[in-house]
């Protein structure tokens, strides 16, 4: 229905494909709109009403048409008579995930991304969980020594869990969240990880960055070129987790923190009575106490400006980086990770992860 190729100028390839099926001109008839919606069998039954200048004027669903016909609109009248003008849209550079969340709340399937009144992309909420405006870095340079002999010839991130490489669970989830740029820092058996991603196709661009030597969790960030977003997600590549990346991002932005750590609830139960001391005197007993803590979950989301604190070529681990940030007055927050979180660092962890994912059925 939307035939002028010039109107696709500046539209993403994904958006252009959807617009070919889901766009109609405002001066076309309601009958034309019904025909276009009828042709969308099996897809989202929504049309974008575009004027002849290429500007988005409204949206049209079969429900909009049905209500308009009941109210007396003729089927030969133009689409602008039935279109919905108070539509949900996103703007490039803004927090698109917030518009997506509102779209989901309204049970929408498609959300247009609009710049200067023109559609530049279309988000399919049936395929796209969200669209996070961040760059991601996965740390994949470790030797996985506690998993030997499994890691003697295979880097830990490529070990299969439930028939799928550990790192691919995280890459696929980030891609489903609309993350366009994913960097993987590699060192041990680097060529295997590079080959693994060289043949990968998908929405996200995965780029491997080699460490000339071991640089620690944060030290390798100084090697990365091409970061574009103001927010960076850094995580260990060998985690198996159901962490909600959108919820983590929203929490981080709303908190105003410089850096937010993914935190894992950790409980310590002492099977004895604990003495409460004052000097050498016992002032009381606490019978079999339980202490609740938050442990570092190996997931960090931060302002990109913090990377200026990292000296290129110097070893730097996350605890030292975060401690120095706090000492300098930086604000560090935490976000509790709910659901699955497995740090696959030992043979027992690896066996458990495989049992868990095999119970959930075959993986893509």
């Amino acid at each position: 229905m939307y035939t002028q190729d010039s109107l696709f100028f500046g539209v993403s390839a994904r958006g252009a494909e959807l617009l070919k099926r889901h766009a109609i001109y405002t001066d076309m008839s309601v009958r034309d709109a019904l025909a276009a919606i009828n042709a969308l069998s099996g897809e989202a039954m929504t049309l974008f009403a575009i004027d002849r200048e290429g500007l988005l004027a409204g949206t049209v669903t079969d429900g909009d048409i049905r209500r308009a016909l009941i109210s007396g609109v003729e089927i030969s009248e133009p689409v602008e008579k039935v279109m919905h003008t108070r539509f949900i849209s996103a703007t490039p550079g803004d927090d698109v995930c917030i518009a997506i969340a509102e779209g989901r709340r309204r049970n929408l399937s498609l959300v247009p991304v609009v710049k200067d009144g023109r559609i530049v992309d279309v988000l399919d909420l049936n395929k796209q969980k969200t669209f996070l405006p961040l760059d991601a870095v996965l740390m994949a340079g470790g030797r996985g020594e506690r998993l030997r002999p499994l890691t003697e010839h295979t880097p830990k991130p490529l070990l299969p869990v439930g028939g799928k490489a550990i790192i691919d669970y995280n890459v696929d989830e980030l891609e489903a969240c609309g993350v366009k740029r994913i960097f993987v820092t590699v060192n041990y058996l680097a060529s295997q990880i590079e080959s693994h991603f060289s043949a990968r196709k998908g929405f996200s661009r995965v780029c491997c960055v080699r460490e000339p030597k071991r640089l620690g969790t944060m030290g390798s960030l100084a090697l990365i070129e091409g970061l574009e977003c103001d927010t960076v997600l850094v995580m260990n590549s060998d985690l198996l987790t159901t962490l909600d990346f959108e919820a983590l991002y929203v929490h981080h932005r709303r908190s105003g923190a410089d850096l937010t750590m993914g935190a894992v609830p950790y409980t310590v139960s002492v099977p004895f009575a604990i003495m409460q001391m004052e000097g050498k005197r016992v002032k009381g007993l606490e019978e079999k106490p339980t202490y609740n803590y938050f442990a570092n979950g190996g997931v960090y989301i931060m302002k990109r400006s913090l990377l200026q604190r990292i000296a290129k070529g110097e070893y730097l681990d996350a605890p030292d980086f975060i401690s120095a940030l706090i000492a300098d007055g930086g604000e560090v927050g935490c976000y509790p990770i709910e659901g699955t979180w497995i740090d696959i660092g030992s043979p027992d962890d690896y066996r458990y992860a495989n049992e868990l994912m095999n119970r959930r059925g075959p993986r893509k």
Side-chain angles (χ1 to χ4, degrees), residues 248-312:
L248 169 64
Y249 172 81
V250 171
H251 173 85
H252 171 72
R253 288 298 300 267
R254 289 178 175 172
S255 72
D258 296 303
L259 181 148
T260 300
M261 304 173 63
V264 181
Y266 190 79
T267 300
V268 177
S269 297
V270 181
F272 311 106
I274 297 299
M275 292 180 286
Q276 298 171 345
M277 306 293 293
E278 187 176 288
K280 293 185 178 182
R281 291 180 178 272
V282 177
K283 305 299 292 185
L285 293 172
E286 185 175 2
E287 186 66 29
K288 299 180 180 179
T290 297
Y291 302 102
N292 296 307
Y293 301 97
F294 279 115
N296 182 359
V299 181
Y300 317 91
I301 187 167
M302 68 184 79
K303 296 177 179 177
R304 186 177 64 169
S305 58
L306 294 184
L307 302 187
Q308 298 173 6
R309 302 171 60 91
I310 304 173
K312 193 170 184 178

Side-chain angles (χ1 to χ4, degrees), residues 106-242:
R106 298 194 187 187
N107 295 317
L108 302 180
S109 296
L110 301 177
V111 172
V113 181
V114 180
K115 181 179 181 181
D116 298 328
R118 297 174 180 271
I119 295 178
V120 295
D121 202 352
V122 179
L123 306 177
D124 186 344
L125 304 195
N126 293 320
K127 298 179 179 179
Q128 196 72 41
K129 287 187 175 182
T130 185
F131 196 90
L132 299 181
L134 57 80
D135 293 322
V137 181
L138 301 182
M139 301 298 175
R143 301 181 66 86
E145 293 180 350
R146 289 185 295 160
L147 279 170
R148 288 181 177 274
L150 294 174
T151 54
E152 285 184 356
H153 304 290
T154 303
K156 182 165 68 167
L158 295 187
L159 290 177
V161 170
K164 180 174 176 176
I166 298 170
I167 193 172
D168 284 344
Y169 285 98
N170 296 313
V171 169
D172 291 348
E173 182 63 20
L174 289 169
E175 183 172 64
C177 289
V179 178
K180 293 182 179 179
R181 288 169 297 278
I182 301 173
F183 298 87
V184 180
T185 60
V186 295
N187 182 281
Y188 177 66
L189 299 178
S191 59
Q192 290 189 36
I193 300 176
E194 291 168 343
S195 296
H196 179 76
F197 286 114
S198 66
R200 186 182 188 276
K201 296 180 180 179
F203 167 75
S204 299
R205 179 174 64 87
V206 180
C207 177
C208 292
V209 179
R210 278 207 189 204
E211 298 175 317
K213 60 180 180 179
R214 290 190 63 196
L215 294 172
T217 308
M218 295 295 179
S220 59
L221 293 179
L223 301 175
I224 296 175
E225 298 178 354
L227 295 171
E228 296 183 12
C229 296
D230 292 332
T231 305
V232 180
L233 174 79
V234 180
M235 67 180 292
N236 296 335
S237 66
D238 51 7
L239 296 178
L240 191 65
T241 179
T242 55

